[in-house]
Amino acid sequence: MDRNDTIIALASGAGRAGIAVVRISGPACRFVLETISGRVTKPRRLELCTLRDPGSREMLDEALVAFFPSPNSFTGEDVAELHVHGGRAVVAAVLGALVVIPGCRLAEAGEFSRRALLNGKMDLSTVEGLGDLIDAETEMQRRQAMRQMQGDLREAVERWRTTLIEASAFVEAELDFADEGDVPHGLRERATGLLTSVADELRREIARARNGERIRSGLTVVIAGPPNAGKSTLLNALARRDVAIVSDIPGTTRDSIEVHWDLAGVPVTLVDTAGLRESQDPIEQEGVRRARDRARTADVILSLRPFDSPTEHLRDAPGAVIIPIRTKIDLATEHSDIGAQADELQLSATTSEGIEALVAKLEAVAKDVVADGGLVTRERHREAFVGALTLLERAISAGPDHPGEFFAEDIRLAMRYLGRVTGTVDVEDVLDRLFAGFCIGK
Protein backbone atom coordinates (compact mmCIF):
# COMPACT_ATOMS: atom_id res chain seq x y z
CA MET A 1 0.00 0.00 0.00
CA ASP A 2 1.93 3.02 -1.33
CA ARG A 3 0.67 6.41 -0.15
CA ASN A 4 2.28 8.00 -3.22
CA ASP A 5 -0.19 6.20 -5.47
CA THR A 6 -3.35 7.89 -6.62
CA ILE A 7 -6.25 5.66 -5.65
CA ILE A 8 -9.52 5.19 -7.49
CA ALA A 9 -12.76 3.48 -6.49
CA LEU A 10 -16.47 3.36 -7.05
CA ALA A 11 -17.80 5.20 -3.98
CA SER A 12 -21.49 4.51 -4.61
CA GLY A 13 -23.27 1.17 -4.60
CA ALA A 14 -22.51 -1.36 -7.28
CA GLY A 15 -25.19 -2.29 -9.82
CA ARG A 16 -27.54 -0.44 -12.11
CA ALA A 17 -28.37 3.08 -10.91
CA GLY A 18 -29.12 6.57 -12.17
CA ILE A 19 -25.80 7.98 -10.96
CA ALA A 20 -22.53 6.37 -9.89
CA VAL A 21 -19.78 8.25 -8.05
CA VAL A 22 -16.15 7.46 -8.83
CA ARG A 23 -13.72 8.88 -6.28
CA ILE A 24 -10.05 9.75 -6.91
CA SER A 25 -7.45 10.77 -4.32
CA GLY A 26 -3.71 11.33 -4.46
CA PRO A 27 -0.87 13.36 -5.92
CA ALA A 28 -1.79 12.66 -9.55
CA CYS A 29 -5.40 13.76 -9.13
CA ARG A 30 -5.01 16.95 -11.18
CA PHE A 31 -3.20 15.05 -13.94
CA VAL A 32 -5.98 12.46 -13.98
CA LEU A 33 -8.62 15.16 -14.46
CA GLU A 34 -6.64 16.82 -17.23
CA THR A 35 -6.14 13.45 -18.91
CA ILE A 36 -9.71 12.17 -18.81
CA SER A 37 -11.73 15.42 -18.95
CA GLY A 38 -9.29 17.88 -20.48
CA ARG A 39 -9.22 20.28 -17.51
CA VAL A 40 -9.21 20.71 -13.76
CA THR A 41 -12.56 22.08 -12.68
CA LYS A 42 -12.99 24.94 -10.21
CA PRO A 43 -12.63 23.82 -6.58
CA ARG A 44 -15.73 22.47 -4.84
CA ARG A 45 -18.05 23.08 -7.80
CA LEU A 46 -19.82 20.52 -9.96
CA GLU A 47 -19.10 21.11 -13.64
CA LEU A 48 -20.27 19.19 -16.71
CA CYS A 49 -17.35 17.53 -18.51
CA THR A 50 -16.90 15.04 -21.31
CA LEU A 51 -14.86 12.07 -20.19
CA ARG A 52 -12.60 10.46 -22.81
CA ASP A 53 -10.42 7.37 -22.92
CA PRO A 54 -6.76 8.44 -22.38
CA GLY A 55 -5.53 6.30 -25.30
CA SER A 56 -8.19 6.28 -28.01
CA ARG A 57 -9.85 9.58 -26.96
CA GLU A 58 -13.17 7.83 -27.41
CA MET A 59 -15.99 9.50 -25.47
CA LEU A 60 -16.84 7.49 -22.35
CA ASP A 61 -19.58 9.59 -20.76
CA GLU A 62 -20.76 13.07 -19.91
CA ALA A 63 -20.32 13.54 -16.18
CA LEU A 64 -20.48 16.09 -13.40
CA VAL A 65 -16.97 16.55 -12.01
CA ALA A 66 -16.00 18.03 -8.63
CA PHE A 67 -12.45 18.81 -7.48
CA PHE A 68 -11.40 19.26 -3.85
CA PRO A 69 -7.80 20.55 -3.57
CA SER A 70 -5.56 19.59 -0.67
CA PRO A 71 -5.75 20.03 2.29
CA ASN A 72 -9.48 20.85 2.27
CA SER A 73 -10.74 17.43 1.26
CA PHE A 74 -11.90 14.22 2.90
CA THR A 75 -8.47 12.57 2.72
CA GLY A 76 -6.39 15.74 3.05
CA GLU A 77 -5.02 15.08 -0.48
CA ASP A 78 -6.25 16.34 -3.83
CA VAL A 79 -9.59 14.58 -4.36
CA ALA A 80 -11.95 14.42 -7.33
CA GLU A 81 -15.37 12.90 -7.83
CA LEU A 82 -16.83 11.85 -11.17
CA HIS A 83 -20.62 11.64 -11.13
CA VAL A 84 -21.19 9.38 -14.12
CA HIS A 85 -24.26 7.58 -15.40
CA GLY A 86 -24.81 4.46 -13.33
CA GLY A 87 -24.90 1.72 -15.91
CA ARG A 88 -22.48 -1.14 -15.36
CA ALA A 89 -20.79 -0.65 -18.73
CA VAL A 90 -20.24 3.07 -18.12
CA VAL A 91 -18.73 2.50 -14.67
CA ALA A 92 -16.49 -0.30 -15.98
CA ALA A 93 -15.28 1.83 -18.88
CA VAL A 94 -14.48 4.83 -16.66
CA LEU A 95 -12.65 2.75 -14.05
CA GLY A 96 -10.77 0.90 -16.80
CA ALA A 97 -9.66 4.20 -18.33
CA LEU A 98 -8.50 5.61 -14.98
CA VAL A 99 -6.37 2.69 -13.81
CA VAL A 100 -4.17 2.79 -16.93
CA ILE A 101 -3.05 6.34 -16.11
CA PRO A 102 0.49 6.18 -14.64
CA GLY A 103 0.55 6.28 -10.83
CA CYS A 104 -3.10 5.23 -10.46
CA ARG A 105 -4.56 2.03 -9.02
CA LEU A 106 -7.77 0.72 -7.51
CA ALA A 107 -8.16 1.52 -3.81
CA GLU A 108 -8.16 -1.13 -1.12
CA ALA A 109 -10.97 -1.46 1.42
CA GLY A 110 -11.13 1.63 3.63
CA GLU A 111 -8.09 3.25 2.02
CA PHE A 112 -9.69 6.67 1.60
CA SER A 113 -10.58 6.79 5.29
CA ARG A 114 -7.15 5.44 6.21
CA ARG A 115 -5.50 8.31 4.35
CA ALA A 116 -7.83 10.76 6.11
CA LEU A 117 -6.65 9.33 9.43
CA LEU A 118 -2.96 9.38 8.52
CA ASN A 119 -3.26 12.94 7.21
CA GLY A 120 -4.84 14.17 10.43
CA LYS A 121 -8.33 14.76 9.02
CA MET A 122 -9.89 12.25 11.43
CA ASP A 123 -8.87 10.34 14.54
CA LEU A 124 -9.36 6.63 15.10
CA SER A 125 -12.59 7.01 17.08
CA THR A 126 -14.24 9.19 14.42
CA VAL A 127 -13.16 6.74 11.70
CA GLU A 128 -14.86 3.98 13.69
CA GLY A 129 -17.95 6.18 13.95
CA LEU A 130 -17.91 6.61 10.18
CA GLY A 131 -17.69 2.86 9.68
CA ASP A 132 -20.57 2.31 12.09
CA LEU A 133 -22.64 4.95 10.28
CA ILE A 134 -22.16 3.15 6.97
CA ASP A 135 -23.19 -0.14 8.59
CA ALA A 136 -26.09 1.31 10.63
CA GLU A 137 -29.35 -0.54 10.09
CA THR A 138 -31.51 1.01 12.81
CA GLU A 139 -32.20 4.52 14.09
CA MET A 140 -30.40 4.00 17.38
CA GLN A 141 -27.32 2.73 15.56
CA ARG A 142 -27.40 5.79 13.30
CA ARG A 143 -27.64 8.18 16.24
CA GLN A 144 -24.84 6.46 18.13
CA ALA A 145 -22.58 6.47 15.08
CA MET A 146 -23.29 10.15 14.42
CA ARG A 147 -22.34 11.06 17.99
CA GLN A 148 -19.06 9.22 17.68
CA MET A 149 -18.31 10.56 14.20
CA GLN A 150 -18.95 14.10 15.44
CA GLY A 151 -16.34 13.59 18.14
CA ASP A 152 -18.17 12.93 21.43
CA LEU A 153 -15.78 10.11 22.37
CA ARG A 154 -12.71 12.01 21.18
CA GLU A 155 -13.63 15.14 23.12
CA ALA A 156 -14.17 13.18 26.35
CA VAL A 157 -10.85 11.36 25.98
CA GLU A 158 -8.97 14.56 25.21
CA ARG A 159 -10.56 16.27 28.23
CA TRP A 160 -9.43 13.43 30.48
CA ARG A 161 -5.94 13.44 29.00
CA THR A 162 -5.68 17.20 29.54
CA THR A 163 -6.63 16.72 33.19
CA LEU A 164 -4.04 13.96 33.58
CA ILE A 165 -1.39 16.13 31.95
CA GLU A 166 -2.14 18.81 34.54
CA ALA A 167 -1.86 16.21 37.33
CA SER A 168 1.38 14.97 35.86
CA ALA A 169 2.77 18.51 35.84
CA PHE A 170 2.05 18.81 39.58
CA VAL A 171 3.86 15.55 40.27
CA GLU A 172 6.84 16.46 38.09
CA ALA A 173 7.11 19.86 39.79
CA GLU A 174 7.18 18.17 43.18
CA LEU A 175 9.84 15.72 41.99
CA ASP A 176 12.11 18.19 40.22
CA PHE A 177 11.79 21.31 42.35
CA ALA A 178 10.99 20.04 45.84
CA ASP A 179 13.92 22.00 47.25
CA GLU A 180 12.86 25.29 45.69
CA GLY A 181 11.20 27.72 48.08
CA ASP A 182 8.54 28.94 45.64
CA VAL A 183 7.08 25.48 44.93
CA PRO A 184 3.81 25.18 46.87
CA HIS A 185 3.13 22.25 49.18
CA GLY A 186 0.39 19.69 48.60
CA LEU A 187 1.01 19.16 44.88
CA ARG A 188 0.58 15.39 45.26
CA GLU A 189 -2.82 15.93 46.91
CA ARG A 190 -3.91 18.28 44.12
CA ALA A 191 -2.80 15.73 41.52
CA THR A 192 -4.70 12.98 43.36
CA GLY A 193 -7.86 15.09 43.27
CA LEU A 194 -7.57 15.44 39.49
CA LEU A 195 -7.00 11.71 39.10
CA THR A 196 -10.08 10.99 41.20
CA SER A 197 -12.30 13.13 38.98
CA VAL A 198 -11.12 11.30 35.85
CA ALA A 199 -11.42 7.90 37.53
CA ASP A 200 -15.02 8.65 38.54
CA GLU A 201 -15.96 9.46 34.94
CA LEU A 202 -14.19 6.38 33.61
CA ARG A 203 -16.05 4.23 36.13
CA ARG A 204 -19.39 5.61 34.92
CA GLU A 205 -18.53 4.95 31.28
CA ILE A 206 -17.31 1.41 31.98
CA ALA A 207 -20.51 0.66 33.89
CA ARG A 208 -22.65 1.48 30.87
CA ALA A 209 -20.21 0.23 28.23
CA ARG A 210 -22.18 -2.95 27.53
CA ASN A 211 -25.19 -0.85 26.55
CA GLY A 212 -23.23 1.04 23.91
CA GLU A 213 -21.78 -2.17 22.53
CA ARG A 214 -25.27 -3.67 22.36
CA ILE A 215 -26.58 -0.73 20.31
CA ARG A 216 -23.77 -1.25 17.83
CA SER A 217 -23.85 -5.06 17.63
CA GLY A 218 -27.49 -5.62 18.60
CA LEU A 219 -29.36 -7.71 21.15
CA THR A 220 -29.60 -11.48 20.93
CA VAL A 221 -33.08 -12.82 21.71
CA VAL A 222 -33.17 -16.61 22.00
CA ILE A 223 -36.42 -18.56 21.73
CA ALA A 224 -36.02 -21.64 23.94
CA GLY A 225 -38.21 -24.41 25.28
CA PRO A 226 -39.14 -28.08 24.88
CA PRO A 227 -40.00 -29.66 21.50
CA ASN A 228 -43.35 -28.65 20.03
CA ALA A 229 -43.62 -25.59 22.29
CA GLY A 230 -44.25 -23.38 19.24
CA LYS A 231 -40.78 -21.86 18.95
CA SER A 232 -40.58 -21.92 15.16
CA THR A 233 -44.17 -20.71 14.84
CA LEU A 234 -43.35 -17.78 17.13
CA LEU A 235 -40.22 -16.97 15.11
CA ASN A 236 -42.26 -16.87 11.92
CA ALA A 237 -44.93 -14.72 13.59
CA LEU A 238 -42.39 -12.17 14.86
CA ALA A 239 -40.47 -12.14 11.56
CA ARG A 240 -43.76 -11.90 9.62
CA ARG A 241 -42.55 -14.53 7.14
CA ASP A 242 -41.94 -18.27 6.98
CA VAL A 243 -38.38 -18.54 8.15
CA ALA A 244 -38.46 -21.85 10.01
CA ILE A 245 -40.16 -25.14 9.14
CA VAL A 246 -43.13 -25.81 11.41
CA SER A 247 -44.11 -29.42 12.11
CA ASP A 248 -45.90 -31.46 14.75
CA ILE A 249 -42.99 -33.89 14.69
CA PRO A 250 -40.77 -33.28 17.75
CA GLY A 251 -37.15 -32.37 17.01
CA THR A 252 -37.79 -30.75 13.61
CA THR A 253 -35.44 -27.86 14.41
CA ARG A 254 -31.93 -29.31 14.73
CA ASP A 255 -29.82 -26.15 14.46
CA SER A 256 -30.23 -22.50 15.38
CA ILE A 257 -32.07 -20.27 12.90
CA GLU A 258 -31.38 -16.53 13.03
CA VAL A 259 -33.46 -13.58 11.87
CA HIS A 260 -32.41 -9.94 12.06
CA TRP A 261 -35.09 -7.60 13.36
CA ASP A 262 -35.44 -3.86 13.94
CA LEU A 263 -37.19 -3.53 17.29
CA ALA A 264 -38.09 0.12 17.91
CA GLY A 265 -34.72 1.21 16.56
CA VAL A 266 -32.76 -1.47 18.42
CA PRO A 267 -31.06 -4.12 16.25
CA VAL A 268 -32.11 -7.60 17.35
CA THR A 269 -31.06 -11.09 16.30
CA LEU A 270 -33.92 -13.55 16.90
CA VAL A 271 -32.67 -17.10 17.36
CA ASP A 272 -34.89 -20.18 17.10
CA THR A 273 -33.24 -23.15 18.80
CA ALA A 274 -33.67 -26.90 18.99
CA GLY A 275 -36.16 -28.23 21.51
CA LEU A 276 -34.63 -28.88 24.91
CA ARG A 277 -35.01 -32.55 25.80
CA GLU A 278 -33.03 -35.74 26.31
CA SER A 279 -32.41 -37.58 23.06
CA GLN A 280 -30.44 -40.56 21.74
CA ASP A 281 -30.12 -38.98 18.31
CA PRO A 282 -26.55 -37.54 18.07
CA ILE A 283 -27.65 -34.79 15.67
CA GLU A 284 -30.46 -33.71 17.98
CA GLN A 285 -28.06 -33.88 20.95
CA GLU A 286 -25.75 -31.46 19.18
CA GLY A 287 -28.71 -29.17 18.45
CA VAL A 288 -29.70 -29.19 22.13
CA ARG A 289 -26.10 -28.42 23.15
CA ARG A 290 -26.00 -25.46 20.75
CA ALA A 291 -29.37 -24.25 22.01
CA ARG A 292 -28.12 -24.20 25.59
CA ASP A 293 -24.92 -22.42 24.52
CA ARG A 294 -26.91 -19.71 22.74
CA ALA A 295 -29.18 -19.31 25.75
CA ARG A 296 -26.20 -18.83 28.08
CA THR A 297 -24.90 -15.94 25.96
CA ALA A 298 -28.28 -14.36 25.15
CA ASP A 299 -29.38 -10.90 26.21
CA VAL A 300 -33.05 -11.94 26.31
CA ILE A 301 -34.60 -15.42 26.47
CA LEU A 302 -38.18 -16.17 25.46
CA SER A 303 -38.74 -19.28 27.56
CA LEU A 304 -41.69 -21.17 26.08
CA ARG A 305 -43.84 -23.98 27.45
CA PRO A 306 -47.12 -25.25 25.99
CA PHE A 307 -50.35 -24.84 27.95
CA ASP A 308 -50.48 -28.60 28.58
CA SER A 309 -46.85 -29.08 29.63
CA PRO A 310 -45.46 -29.19 33.17
CA THR A 311 -41.99 -28.28 31.83
CA GLU A 312 -40.10 -25.75 33.92
CA HIS A 313 -38.91 -22.58 32.26
CA LEU A 314 -35.24 -22.19 31.42
CA ARG A 315 -33.46 -20.38 34.26
CA ASP A 316 -29.74 -21.13 33.86
CA ALA A 317 -28.83 -18.01 31.88
CA PRO A 318 -27.09 -15.51 34.17
CA GLY A 319 -27.21 -11.96 32.89
CA ALA A 320 -30.11 -12.56 30.50
CA VAL A 321 -33.62 -11.15 30.81
CA ILE A 322 -35.97 -14.15 30.85
CA ILE A 323 -39.54 -13.75 29.63
CA PRO A 324 -41.65 -16.84 30.51
CA ILE A 325 -44.33 -17.53 27.91
CA ARG A 326 -47.19 -20.05 27.93
CA THR A 327 -47.94 -20.99 24.31
CA LYS A 328 -50.75 -22.54 22.26
CA ILE A 329 -53.41 -21.02 24.51
CA ASP A 330 -55.89 -21.24 21.62
CA LEU A 331 -55.96 -25.00 22.35
CA ALA A 332 -56.27 -24.69 26.11
CA THR A 333 -59.39 -25.69 28.00
CA GLU A 334 -60.35 -25.37 31.62
CA HIS A 335 -59.26 -28.94 32.31
CA SER A 336 -56.13 -29.14 30.13
CA ASP A 337 -54.27 -26.17 31.59
CA ILE A 338 -51.29 -27.28 33.71
CA GLY A 339 -49.66 -25.09 36.34
CA ALA A 340 -50.26 -21.59 35.03
CA GLN A 341 -47.76 -19.11 36.50
CA ALA A 342 -48.50 -15.51 37.36
CA ASP A 343 -45.53 -14.06 35.45
CA GLU A 344 -46.20 -15.94 32.19
CA LEU A 345 -47.30 -14.13 29.05
CA GLN A 346 -50.24 -15.90 27.40
CA LEU A 347 -49.68 -16.40 23.67
CA SER A 348 -50.91 -18.14 20.56
CA ALA A 349 -48.61 -17.63 17.59
CA THR A 350 -51.20 -19.33 15.37
CA THR A 351 -54.00 -16.83 16.12
CA SER A 352 -51.61 -13.94 16.97
CA GLU A 353 -53.22 -13.60 20.39
CA GLY A 354 -50.67 -12.11 22.76
CA ILE A 355 -48.15 -11.25 20.02
CA GLU A 356 -48.65 -7.49 20.43
CA ALA A 357 -48.18 -7.79 24.20
CA LEU A 358 -44.96 -9.77 23.65
CA VAL A 359 -43.59 -7.20 21.17
CA ALA A 360 -44.41 -4.40 23.62
CA LYS A 361 -42.62 -6.31 26.39
CA LEU A 362 -39.59 -6.85 24.15
CA GLU A 363 -39.51 -3.17 23.17
CA ALA A 364 -39.53 -2.16 26.83
CA VAL A 365 -36.76 -4.64 27.65
CA ALA A 366 -34.68 -3.56 24.64
CA LYS A 367 -34.95 0.13 25.47
CA ASP A 368 -34.05 -0.59 29.08
CA VAL A 369 -31.06 -2.75 28.14
CA VAL A 370 -29.56 -0.20 25.74
CA ALA A 371 -30.64 2.89 27.66
CA ASP A 372 -27.92 5.48 28.19
CA GLY A 373 -25.40 3.87 25.89
CA GLY A 374 -22.64 6.24 26.83
CA LEU A 375 -19.42 6.69 24.87
CA VAL A 376 -18.15 3.13 24.52
CA THR A 377 -19.19 1.30 21.35
CA ARG A 378 -16.44 -1.29 20.99
CA GLU A 379 -14.66 -3.76 23.19
CA ARG A 380 -11.31 -2.03 22.58
CA HIS A 381 -12.71 1.24 24.01
CA ARG A 382 -13.81 -0.58 27.14
CA GLU A 383 -10.46 -2.34 27.49
CA ALA A 384 -8.61 0.98 27.18
CA PHE A 385 -10.86 2.60 29.80
CA VAL A 386 -10.42 -0.35 32.18
CA GLY A 387 -6.65 -0.21 31.74
CA ALA A 388 -6.53 3.52 32.43
CA LEU A 389 -8.84 3.22 35.44
CA THR A 390 -6.75 0.41 36.96
CA LEU A 391 -3.63 2.57 36.84
CA LEU A 392 -5.40 5.64 38.20
CA GLU A 393 -6.88 3.66 41.10
CA ARG A 394 -3.43 2.34 41.91
CA ALA A 395 -2.01 5.85 41.94
CA ILE A 396 -4.91 7.23 44.01
CA SER A 397 -4.69 4.47 46.63
CA ALA A 398 -0.91 4.82 47.02
CA GLY A 399 0.11 6.30 50.35
CA PRO A 400 2.27 9.39 50.85
CA ASP A 401 5.36 7.18 51.12
CA HIS A 402 4.76 5.81 47.61
CA PRO A 403 7.66 7.04 45.42
CA GLY A 404 6.67 9.98 43.27
CA GLU A 405 8.35 8.41 40.25
CA PHE A 406 5.95 5.46 40.41
CA PHE A 407 3.00 7.83 40.86
CA ALA A 408 4.04 9.78 37.75
CA GLU A 409 4.57 6.58 35.76
CA ASP A 410 1.05 5.36 36.53
CA ILE A 411 -0.34 8.65 35.22
CA ARG A 412 1.76 8.42 32.07
CA LEU A 413 0.62 4.85 31.38
CA ALA A 414 -3.03 5.80 32.01
CA MET A 415 -2.69 8.56 29.41
CA ARG A 416 -1.24 6.02 27.01
CA TYR A 417 -4.26 3.77 27.44
CA LEU A 418 -6.58 6.69 26.68
CA GLY A 419 -4.46 7.60 23.66
CA ARG A 420 -5.21 4.19 22.19
CA VAL A 421 -8.89 5.15 21.86
CA THR A 422 -8.20 8.05 19.50
CA GLY A 423 -5.13 6.52 17.89
CA THR A 424 -2.49 8.90 19.21
CA VAL A 425 -0.51 5.79 20.31
CA ASP A 426 -0.41 2.13 19.30
CA VAL A 427 -2.55 2.79 16.23
CA GLU A 428 -0.97 0.39 13.75
CA ASP A 429 -2.14 -2.75 15.55
CA VAL A 430 -5.82 -1.92 14.91
CA LEU A 431 -5.71 -0.26 11.47
CA ASP A 432 -5.66 -3.34 9.25
CA ARG A 433 -8.48 -5.01 11.20
CA LEU A 434 -10.56 -1.81 11.25
CA PHE A 435 -10.31 -0.87 7.58
CA ALA A 436 -10.77 -4.42 6.32
CA GLY A 437 -14.47 -4.03 7.11
CA PHE A 438 -14.88 -0.76 5.20
CA CYS A 439 -16.34 -0.25 1.73
CA ILE A 440 -13.80 -0.08 -1.08
CA GLY A 441 -14.69 3.53 -1.96
CA LYS A 442 -14.64 4.87 1.60
Side-chain angles (χ1 to χ4, degrees), residues 83-305:
H83 295 229
V84 301
H85 290 93
R88 296 176 186 270
V90 175
V91 172
V94 170
L95 290 175
L98 291 173
V99 295
V100 300
I101 299 174
C104 297
R105 63 170 172 82
L106 293 176
E108 298 180 13
E111 194 168 359
F112 287 90
S113 298
R114 187 167 189 153
R115 291 191 177 193
L117 172 69
L118 297 176
N119 291 329
K121 305 297 289 186
M122 308 174 76
D123 70 87
L124 189 55
S125 67
T126 54
V127 170
E128 289 172 330
L130 173 61
D132 290 345
L133 185 64
I134 294 171
D135 293 334
E137 296 180 348
T138 71
E139 179 63 13
M140 292 189 73
Q141 286 179 320
R142 183 193 68 79
R143 290 179 180 177
Q144 182 187 66
M146 283 298 301
R147 287 196 300 270
Q148 186 165 330
M149 196 176 73
Q150 290 173 343
D152 284 11
L153 177 57
R154 180 193 67 239
E155 290 172 4
V157 168
E158 289 306 312
R159 185 179 73 252
W160 296 332
R161 291 185 75 237
T162 299
T163 302
L164 295 184
I165 289 171
E166 183 181 357
S168 181
F170 288 149
V171 178
E172 295 295 341
E174 187 177 67
L175 286 172
D176 296 340
F177 307 107
D179 297 333
E180 300 293 333
D182 57 349
V183 176
H185 295 290
L187 291 180
R188 172 81 74 94
E189 289 74 14
R190 293 172 65 180
T192 300
L194 293 174
L195 301 190
T196 300
S197 68
V198 174
D200 288 343
E201 290 193 54
L202 285 173
R203 236 176 255 111
R204 283 194 294 270
E205 291 302 329
I206 292 168
R208 55 185 183 173
R210 181 63 178 134
N211 290 352
E213 293 177 51
R214 279 168 167 161
I215 293 175
R216 178 175 175 269
S217 60
L219 295 178
T220 299
V221 177
V222 169
I223 306 174
N228 277 1
K231 299 183 297 298
S232 297
T233 305
L234 178 58
L235 178 72
N236 292 342
L238 293 174
R240 298 182 183 276
R241 56 192 175 95
D242 289 335
V243 179
I245 297 174
V246 176
S247 170
D248 291 333
I249 302 173
T252 301
T253 302
R254 299 295 187 94
D255 204 351
S256 300
I257 300 173
E258 298 186 1
V259 174
H260 295 286
W261 194 29
D262 182 346
L263 181 65
V266 179
V268 169
T269 300
L270 277 172
V271 185
D272 178 23
T273 58
L276 302 177
R277 68 169 179 175
E278 298 296 327
S279 173
Q280 300 304 313
D281 184 336
I283 298 178
E284 188 174 358
Q285 287 176 350
E286 176 63 17
V288 171
R289 185 192 67 78
R290 294 186 182 188
R292 292 191 181 279
D293 285 345
R294 291 307 301 264
R296 277 190 283 268
T297 60
D299 297 301
V300 181
I301 295 175
L302 305 184
S303 181
L304 275 56
R305 74 173 185 95

Side-chain angles (χ1 to χ4, degrees), residues 109-110 131 134-135 431-439:
I134 294 171
D135 293 334
L431 288 187
D432 291 340
R433 183 174 56 189
L434 170 63
F435 291 117
F438 266 58
C439 304

Side-chain angles (χ1 to χ4, degrees), residues 16-98:
R16 183 172 178 267
I19 296 293
V21 179
V22 176
R23 178 178 276 176
I24 307 163
S25 179
C29 188
R30 292 174 184 267
F31 177 69
V32 170
L33 288 181
E34 291 171 347
T35 301
I36 198 168
S37 67
R39 62 193 173 96
V40 178
T41 58
K42 295 179 181 179
R44 289 173 291 281
R45 288 184 60 181
L46 283 171
E47 296 185 20
L48 183 64
C49 298
T50 298
L51 305 184
R52 297 186 179 277
D53 185 275
S56 66
R57 305 311 297 167
E58 175 189 359
M59 180 177 172
L60 300 174
D61 194 20
E62 285 194 333
L64 290 173
V65 177
F67 176 60
F68 306 91
S70 170
N72 300 316
S73 68
F74 175 74
T75 63
E77 305 171 331
D78 285 345
V79 172
E81 289 184 356
L82 311 179
H83 295 229
V84 301
H85 290 93
R88 296 176 186 270
V90 175
V91 172
V94 170
L95 290 175
L98 291 173

